[in-house]
Amino acid sequence: MLRRIHHVGIVVRSLDEGYRFYRDTLGLPLIKEATVPDQGVRAALLLAGESEIELLEPIDPQGGVAKFLEKRGEGLHHVCFATDDVAAELEATKAKGIPLIDQAPRKGLAGMICFLHPKAQHGVLIEYAEPFPDDAGH
Ligand code: CMX
């Protein structure tokens, strides 16, 4: 079952510039930052109450996030729902015939994650995340 919105992903040109607004102006605490090479991004999660904001800075010009930035500019990129069982959620979605990007969950910044294809979600890229046990509460 999808529990809540885990995070909203926002593409920025530079994480450091993104921090100036989301961390320093809004005061959202930085939870973690990491490079995710297979996604071609530097990414950061900031806490916003019971949800989070994920900032994404492209580091690979051929990656999906770099293409997004080039085509659409900075802004909202995806919505991620939290689940207790990402594999089961993905299987249930697949069984409904919804087009997927990931056929199996993989490790992401927010936990074990997968993406559905935006073409079946009214133009919105959707992610599911099962947070790591150490991240309980986030
Ligand atoms: N939201 C809505 N639509 C999107 C989109 C987004 N975030 N990103 C791309 N699209 C649309 C494009 O506008 C394009 O639409 P049209 O065909 O109507 O022009 C279509 O999807 C294809 O886009 P593209 O630029 O040709 O790019 P690709 O097909 O190479 O890749 C996508 C698109 C979504 C499959 C790819 O970006 C992807 O796999 N994304 C999921 C992974 C991801 O975003 N990871 C970053 C987050 C890292 C993390 O959280 O761990």
Side-chain angles (χ1 to χ4, degrees), residues 5-10 51-55 76-80:
I5 291 182
H6 181 275
H7 68 260
V8 172
I10 297 174
S51 297
E52 295 168 17
I53 295 287
E54 183 177 60
L55 300 180
L76 290 178
H77 180 258
H78 66 267
V79 173
C80 177

Side-chain angles (χ1 to χ4, degrees), residues 3-69:
R3 288 194 278 117
R4 63 186 169 91
I5 291 182
H6 181 275
H7 68 260
V8 172
I10 297 174
V11 171
V12 293
R13 264 187 207 92
S14 133
L15 274 192
D16 293 334
E17 284 172 26
Y19 286 155
R20 254 179 250 144
F21 179 71
Y22 290 96
R23 182 191 61 193
D24 304 339
T25 305
L26 292 188
L28 306 181
L30 178 64
I31 301 171
K32 54 178 155 176
E33 181 193 309
T35 298
V36 190
D38 63 313
Q39 296 297 302
V41 293
R42 264 178 80 210
L45 286 167
L46 298 98
L47 192 60
E50 295 186 350
S51 297
E52 295 168 17
I53 295 287
E54 183 177 60
L55 300 180
L56 298 163
E57 174 195 322
I59 53 168
D60 171 7
Q62 304 307 319
V65 172
K67 282 203 247 172
F68 179 95
L69 182 63

